[in-house]
Amino acid sequence: MDVTTPQQHYPSLMRWLHWTIACLIITALICGLLLGYGLVQGDSPAGGVLMSIHVGCAMASLPLWIIRLTLRHRSKLPEGVGPGWQQSIARVSHLLLYVLTLALPLTGYGMDIAYGGAPTVFGFRFPDFGLTAPGVQNEPLGEALWFFHSNAGQGLALVVLLHVLAAIWNTIKDPAGGIRRMLSPPRH
């Protein structure tokens, strides 16, 4: 790459983390929305599987989120595209994506602890850090965390949808940009 040519694609590890976290978050969102809207009953066998997938994907995204955020601040990234107002909206939406993808797994974890347990994924129980005791629950805290978790999940679903639509729009407007910036660069 010529030193004077701006970078057009994200670094390979950033691309891998982006798509891996996207798959985890979208899967967690779909499972959460199916359960939250009662399309699958949480106490059914299918509900138990969906809840394990929901929690598992959310918990798997946390360490990747930390790595991606660290890498984002240490990597040379492509320049923003579009007019200034579009770049401002992109910055705000990325900030929302980062905040919500951190807050949702943490509030879900906290909610389980408030209800007297700890997140469990296919039989594996995450630590409760000594915050739970048999028969002890903090119902008001659990309800508050559930309210935030549920509404923030719907908000994240909306932000993800807008992010995908913006990427598609930018790809249509500039075939060399948009989604292609988050794909492997063409080989010469």
Side-chain angles (χ1 to χ4, degrees), residues 24-147:
L24 290 169
I25 295 299
I26 290 169
T27 301
L29 281 171
I30 290 169
C31 292
L33 291 170
L34 288 171
L35 291 164
Y37 281 110
L39 298 171
V40 176
Q41 295 303 312
D43 58 358
S44 71
V49 170
L50 283 180
M51 183 57 77
S52 281
I53 294 170
H54 174 76
V55 173
C57 287
M59 297 307 287
S61 74
L62 279 176
L64 297 177
W65 181 95
I66 294 165
I67 293 166
R68 186 170 195 272
L69 188 61
T70 302
L71 190 60
R72 181 178 177 88
H73 288 289
R74 293 185 177 184
S75 298
K76 179 164 174 39
L77 304 177
E79 294 178 16
V81 295
W85 65 269
Q86 235 178 7
Q87 290 183 40
S88 294
I89 291 172
R91 279 190 295 279
V92 169
S93 70
H94 280 100
L95 178 63
L96 281 171
L97 284 170
Y98 278 112
V99 168
L100 291 173
T101 55
L102 174 65
L104 281 160
L106 293 178
T107 58
Y109 204 126
M111 184 173 47
D112 281 353
I113 289 176
Y115 285 130
T120 303
V121 178
F122 296 114
F124 173 77
R125 187 170 190 254
F126 284 85
D128 65 7
F129 304 106
L131 298 173
T132 62
V136 177
Q137 295 183 7
N138 185 336
E139 193 81 22
L141 177 60
E143 290 297 316
L145 289 170
W146 179 87
F147 180 80

Side-chain angles (χ1 to χ4, degrees), residues 8-10 19 78 81 163-164 166-183:
Q8 297 299 315
H9 291 81
Y10 286 85
W19 293 110
V81 295
H163 180 73
V164 169
I168 291 169
W169 174 256
N170 284 324
T171 303
I172 291 169
K173 285 180 55 182
D174 177 12
I179 295 170
R180 287 181 183 85
R181 290 165 26 112
M182 198 49 84
L183 298 173

